[in-house]
Amino acid sequence: GMQVPESYGGLGLSHYDTRMIMEQLGAIDISLSLFIGLNNILGIRPILNFASQEIKEKFLPILAKGRELAAFALTEPGAGSNPNSISAKSQQISENRWKLNGTKIWSGGATWAGFINTFAKEYDHNGNPRGITAYLLRQGTKGLIQGGEALTTGMRGSIQNTIYFKDLIIDQTNILGEPGKGMHVANATLLYGRLTIASACIGAMKRCLQLIERYASRRSIASGILLDNPVTMMKISEITFYIDCSEVLVNKIVGLLDQENDVNEDLYTIAKILVPEWLWQTSDNLIQILGGRGYIETNIAPQIMRDARVLRVFEGPTETLKVFLGSKMLNNEANLYKLFVNQLNDSDGYNRIKSSLEQINKNNFNLFANDSANSLFLKYLISDLICFAVIESLLQTEANNDANTFGWIKLKYQETFNKINQNSNFNGIFITSKDSISSIINSYQNNIG
């Protein structure tokens, strides 16, 4: 019950305190941080923010004390990064009752949870759709059937399992938020989840760097001590840049929240795009620098890498979020203005990114023969430019920002800008067509069967 008010038996922690706890948990064990994050953020927060007063008073004290856990079930076999395509259905059968049917997959901790937040398309008596509605379900309810657990690559300290709803009866008290507006509940929850993922990643990166430094400062190689090797120092330095940039972004978000200011949703998206990717690179560097020892299973490094891997997919794959962010910003000055001027108070940053985008548009990006593919890939590339511009803006206002970190992020921005402009005139020369790819792959049968 980290953020549950003390009146319900919780700790009533601030957003900053919660962020620091998630960082510490990420340093100890990423799987542990996910488990506690799932319960507190995806499980408890929807109940705290959207349940009726009656439900809060009845169940929050149980959850705050840890007597029972809460889970979140949104993903379906046919609905992953596009939750609007869910097929779970709640059909109205009386004025205040519905019948729920559907399947949810990869629900973290659902088998262990006493409460499950879920989502379904609601239909009235006549079969007319009302939109997606969020529901709070109680474990043990007739028609709620727990399915098998997924054998995942990492995160072995928690479980992700399938849930089936078969003619499960729900009533008005089960609804979270307003009927038909369940995606508001899901979106608010998932955005905050992205913040806590980034916080845990920061802790994990710091732990990786501790392990790297401890080993490299003692390991003797042909050129001397491993830590003195310039390649090692370049890798270590870049990890410190990852951490500095992650912290300034996450601290900006929690600072706004604790001051009860609105947070531009794009900041959460940028945190989810950048920080898990940086942790993945850091975990790979950990194993690489430790060499053979890093590959030994009894070492902590393989577990860190396996656990880190899902964070590039969990709550939105990096690629999907990048296209989403690029789509919002590419030809929409209003969105750029809201982010850089209204949220970051950086008119210079706004003018800089606006000028860059205008120049990119003028160059008529033409990497693919297909206009649709060109548009999609340009949005994907543009997102990196937006992300680096935001970090640069935040570092400029940070009193204690490191000059090396600031120089590094400026370089990343310029490299990305140059890459987009250079790609603009390739005209598909380095892109294999879909038909050719199929033919090439089919030919592999001659070699490997």
Side-chain angles (χ1 to χ4, degrees):
M2 287 195 286
Q3 295 186 334
V4 176
E6 293 180 12
S7 58
Y8 293 116
L11 297 175
L13 297 182
S14 68
H15 299 285
Y16 179 79
D17 288 339
T18 302
R19 164 256 189 279
M20 293 305 296
I21 287 174
M22 293 306 299
E23 177 180 321
Q24 178 67 80
L25 292 170
I28 296 168
D29 187 312
I30 302 173
S31 187
L32 176 64
S33 72
L34 177 73
F35 171 67
I36 292 176
L38 283 170
N39 180 54
N40 278 273
I41 308 307
L42 301 190
I44 294 177
R45 273 183 70 86
I47 302 169
L48 179 62
N49 293 331
F50 297 101
S52 66
Q53 191 60 35
E54 175 190 354
I55 293 296
K56 289 180 186 179
E57 292 175 357
K58 187 175 182 181
F59 296 134
L60 280 178
I62 298 172
L63 290 163
K65 295 297 183 184
R67 295 192 184 111
E68 293 191 50
L69 305 174
F72 186 88
L74 176 62
T75 304
E76 297 182 1
S81 57
N82 180 20
N84 286 305
S85 63
I86 63 173
S87 60
K89 178 179 179 180
S90 61
Q91 176 68 56
Q92 189 172 22
I93 55 176
S94 66
E95 185 177 353
N96 292 315
R97 300 176 82 212
W98 292 262
K99 185 183 290 185
L100 176 62
N101 284 281
T103 302
K104 301 292 181 180
I105 60 172
W106 303 330
S107 180
T111 302
W112 303 340
F115 304 87
I116 299 171
N117 304 309
T118 196
F119 303 81
K121 289 182 176 177
E122 182 184 339
Y123 294 83
D124 65 15
H125 285 296
N126 300 316
N128 299 314
R130 288 179 169 175
I132 293 174
T133 300
Y135 302 98
L136 173 63
L137 307 180
R138 197 76 168 95
Q139 188 79 272
T141 302
K142 184 179 179 181
L144 196 164
I145 303 165
Q146 296 287 353
E149 297 176 13
L151 182 59
T152 53
T153 300
M155 297 295 181
R156 300 287 180 85
S158 184
I159 56 167
Q160 293 81 38
N161 67 283
T162 302
I163 312 171
Y164 302 99
F165 307 130
K166 293 189 176 180
D167 294 335
L168 190 156
I169 304 301
I170 49 183
D171 61 32
Q172 195 75 29
T173 60
N174 294 97
I175 294 177
L176 294 169
E178 298 181 40
K181 296 184 178 180
M183 287 314 298
H184 174 63
V185 178
N187 191 48
T189 305
L190 293 172
L191 285 176
Y192 201 92
R194 290 170 183 171
L195 172 64
T196 55
I197 286 173
S199 300
C201 287
I202 292 171
M205 283 192 285
K206 289 180 177 179
R207 178 68 76 231
C208 287
L209 209 46
Q210 287 178 332
L211 294 168
I212 288 171
E213 193 273 341
R214 186 171 70 185
Y215 178 78
S217 64
R218 303 171 183 177
R219 179 64 170 172
S220 179
I221 58 174
S223 61
I225 296 298
L226 180 58
L227 189 60
D228 294 331
N229 186 284
V231 177
T232 305
M233 283 309 302
M234 286 178 65
K235 290 178 181 292
I236 289 175
S237 297
E238 190 160 57
I239 295 170
T240 67
F241 302 152
Y242 296 160
I243 294 169
D244 289 347
C245 293
S246 301
E247 286 191 307
V248 75
L249 176 57
V250 168
N251 287 341
K252 175 66 175 179
I253 297 173
V254 296
L256 289 168
L257 289 171
D258 279 331
Q259 294 164 16
E260 298 185 355
N261 292 322
D262 291 334
V263 178
N264 189 303
E265 291 187 4
D266 297 320
L267 290 181
Y268 292 106
T269 303
I270 291 168
K272 181 60 176 65
I273 288 172
L274 289 178
V275 189
E277 292 291 338
W278 285 339
L279 171 59
W280 173 247
Q281 185 60 56
T282 299
S283 68
D284 184 62
N285 280 329
L286 170 63
I287 290 180
Q288 188 70 15
I289 292 172
L290 265 59
R293 286 171 176 78
Y295 200 66
I296 298 298
E297 184 59 36
T298 50
N299 193 316
I300 195 175
Q303 182 187 332
I304 291 175
M305 174 173 256
R306 286 198 305 272
D307 288 350
R309 186 60 185 85
V310 75
L311 301 179
R312 299 175 61 211
V313 176
F314 185 57
E315 292 200 20
T318 301
E319 294 77 12
T320 303
L321 294 177
K322 288 175 75 169
V323 172
F324 170 74
L325 180 66
S327 299
K328 286 188 67 175
M329 298 297 176
L330 183 56
N331 294 306
N332 194 319
E333 287 186 28
N335 286 336
L336 277 174
Y337 191 90
K338 288 176 185 175
L339 178 58
F340 283 90
V341 180
N342 293 349
Q343 184 77 93
L344 303 178
N345 195 28
D346 185 7
S347 55
D348 289 340
Y350 164 73
N351 290 327
R352 183 173 63 254
I353 188 69
K354 179 184 172 186
S355 174
S356 295
L357 294 181
E358 287 173 350
Q359 188 171 340
I360 289 167
N361 278 326
K362 196 181 298 182
N363 284 347
N364 190 26
F365 185 86
N366 195 25
L367 180 60
F368 298 88
N370 183 296
D371 288 343
S372 175
N374 274 317
S375 174
L376 195 66
F377 195 61
L378 180 57
K379 292 168 184 175
Y380 173 80
L381 294 176
I382 287 297
S383 68
D384 283 335
L385 208 61
I386 302 297
C387 289
F388 297 144
V390 166
I391 299 296
E392 184 178 337
S393 176
L394 291 170
L395 285 170
Q396 283 185 131
T397 58
E398 177 74 13
N400 299 316
N401 84 71
D402 182 89
N404 287 334
T405 304
F406 186 64
W408 179 79
I409 204 68
K410 285 174 69 71
L411 180 62
K412 296 296 288 185
Y413 180 92
Q414 192 60 47
E415 286 177 346
T416 303
F417 177 74
N418 293 341
K419 176 183 176 182
I420 296 171
N421 278 337
Q422 289 165 6
N423 282 348
S424 63
N425 297 311
F426 280 168
N427 198 26
I429 190 169
F430 297 129
I431 306 297
T432 308
S433 70
K434 186 169 69 174
D435 290 341
S436 296
I437 287 174
S438 296
S439 176
I440 290 168
I441 294 173
N442 286 335
S443 73
Y444 294 160
Q445 294 182 34
N446 297 330
N447 307 113
I448 61 173

